[in-house]
Amino acid sequence: MSEPFTLGETFDGALLANAPRVRLSRRGIIMGLASGSVFPFLTGCSTNLATGESQFLLFGDDQIAGMAATAWSDMKAQTPQTSNTQLKNRVLNVWDRTIKGAAKTGHVNPNDQWDVAVFDTDDVNAFVMPGNRVGVYRGITELTENDDQISSVLGHETGHVVGKHAAERMSVSTAAQVGLMAGQIAVASSEELSKYGTAIGALGGAALQFGVILPYSRKHELQADKLGVDYMHQAGYDVKQSVRLWELMDAQSKGQRPPEFMSTHPDPARRADELRTYINARGYALI
Ligand SMILES: [Zn+2]
């Protein structure tokens, strides 16, 4: 039996807490492998047109959208949404401006429909699920000091969608599990999967988690941070506030974090540094 998989790419990079879990059964994966239906894209990597990077994708967003629809409706059924209409409208207004900024880059279609919910919990986080579903927790809105920082959160979540991070994370996890089950993963012609295959063969389960899956998640977080800043810039928000937000996140989470190598999160101070470097390099501002 494969591990349950949590759908939802978060702001801080942690696995989404309290999210409904989806499970691909071992039998389902093996039968799908045999029929070719689980791995229709196994012959190689695809290039993400927005990021320009080669990605290992066994699934497209459309293939996991059904699971995400269930997870999202379960989430909405289980977690109360805010009754504070002022807060909800504020988030929706910032969302509207941020997504229009993202559309200016050509990374998202301006006609796409999005479902944005503000959940009434203390979690200092936000998340996005495949199918353009964005969740923001009241807790993170209370940490933020201005709309620019809220835009930074929403831009980051948009970045996860543009980067197809959910599909890639699920693809890598599934490939890893199939590799462990079958004892080999040499089915791939792609350089990336071969690399994982070697790592998986040499290391096994726990090391797979530390050596392959966690660094992968951290890479996605940093990419989403940078895409988010691009969208903020296009929307006319102050991109420097993304750095300030990560300084606030750092102060807020001091002493509660595992070492970076054991975590899906890049260290908040590192995220602030990487954003500062990126913002300077792009010429958005000098900080
Ligand atoms: Zn994230």
Side-chain angles (χ1 to χ4, degrees):
M1 185 60 79
S2 62
E3 291 296 308
F5 184 86
T6 307
L7 278 173
E9 315 302 304
T10 62
F11 181 62
D12 74 355
L15 293 177
L16 182 56
N18 304 319
R21 304 223 156 180
V22 297
R23 190 184 281 279
L24 285 170
S25 72
R26 172 184 181 147
R27 182 179 160 80
I29 292 172
I30 289 172
M31 287 180 66
L33 258 179
S35 72
S37 68
V38 171
F39 297 126
F41 312 121
L42 199 55
T43 48
C45 283
S46 48
T47 298
N48 186 309
L49 295 178
T51 64
E53 288 192 5
S54 175
Q55 285 190 295
F56 169 59
L57 292 178
L58 302 176
F59 308 98
D61 270 359
D62 49 340
Q63 287 166 296
I64 51 177
M67 280 185 281
T70 305
W72 176 245
S73 60
D74 287 354
M75 193 88 187
K76 282 171 129 179
Q78 290 160 12
T79 311
Q81 292 184 52
T82 184
S83 56
N84 180 340
T85 51
Q86 196 181 353
L87 173 63
K88 170 105 196 201
N89 287 337
R90 182 178 173 206
V91 170
L92 288 178
N93 285 334
V94 176
W95 169 259
D96 192 53
R97 189 168 146 190
T98 305
I99 199 69
K100 282 180 176 144
K104 283 191 199 171
T105 66
H107 291 183
V108 300
N109 185 328
N111 300 318
D112 278 352
Q113 296 296 308
W114 296 76
D115 190 358
V116 180
V118 181
F119 293 103
D120 191 22
T121 77
D122 294 330
D123 298 77
V124 182
N125 218 343
F127 66 91
V128 65
M129 285 181 178
N132 294 355
R133 302 168 172 102
V134 180
V136 178
Y137 294 107
R138 173 179 41 75
I140 199 165
T141 67
E142 289 168 352
L143 181 73
T144 58
E145 299 166 318
N146 47 51
D147 285 1
D148 308 83
Q149 291 176 9
I150 293 177
S151 176
S152 160
V153 174
L154 298 174
H156 173 96
E157 297 309 333
T158 307
H160 277 309
V161 174
V162 168
K164 300 187 191 294
H165 294 163
E168 192 171 23
R169 187 163 63 88
M170 192 160 180
S171 299
V172 169
S173 298
T174 302
Q177 286 166 31
V178 171
L180 286 174
M181 286 188 299
Q184 55 86 22
I185 200 164
V187 285
S189 61
S190 84
E191 189 185 322
E192 283 218 70
L193 185 55
S194 302
K195 188 173 67 191
Y196 299 130
T198 306
I200 291 159
L203 299 175
L208 168 74
Q209 184 75 0
F210 291 132
V212 177
I213 294 174
L214 296 179
Y216 218 83
S217 298
R218 292 195 291 268
K219 179 187 149 196
H220 283 171
E221 293 312 318
L222 296 173
Q223 185 172 67
D225 282 347
K226 291 170 186 174
L227 288 168
V229 159
D230 291 342
Y231 308 151
M232 283 179 82
H233 175 72
Q234 291 292 338
Y237 283 111
D238 178 4
V239 294
K240 298 193 292 297
Q241 291 299 321
S242 66
V243 178
R244 169 70 183 156
L245 179 56
W246 276 108
E247 290 167 353
L248 292 172
M249 293 286 284
D250 187 33
Q252 187 264 343
S253 66
K254 273 264 185 292
Q256 299 172 24
R257 289 194 303 273
E260 187 179 73
F261 80 91
M262 290 175 66
S263 171
T264 52
H265 318 38
D267 183 76
R270 183 174 158 216
R271 291 174 77 159
D273 283 345
E274 295 240 359
L275 276 171
R276 200 178 286 113
T277 303
Y278 183 72
I279 288 166
N280 283 324
R282 297 285 292 195
Y284 293 152
L286 281 177
I287 47 175

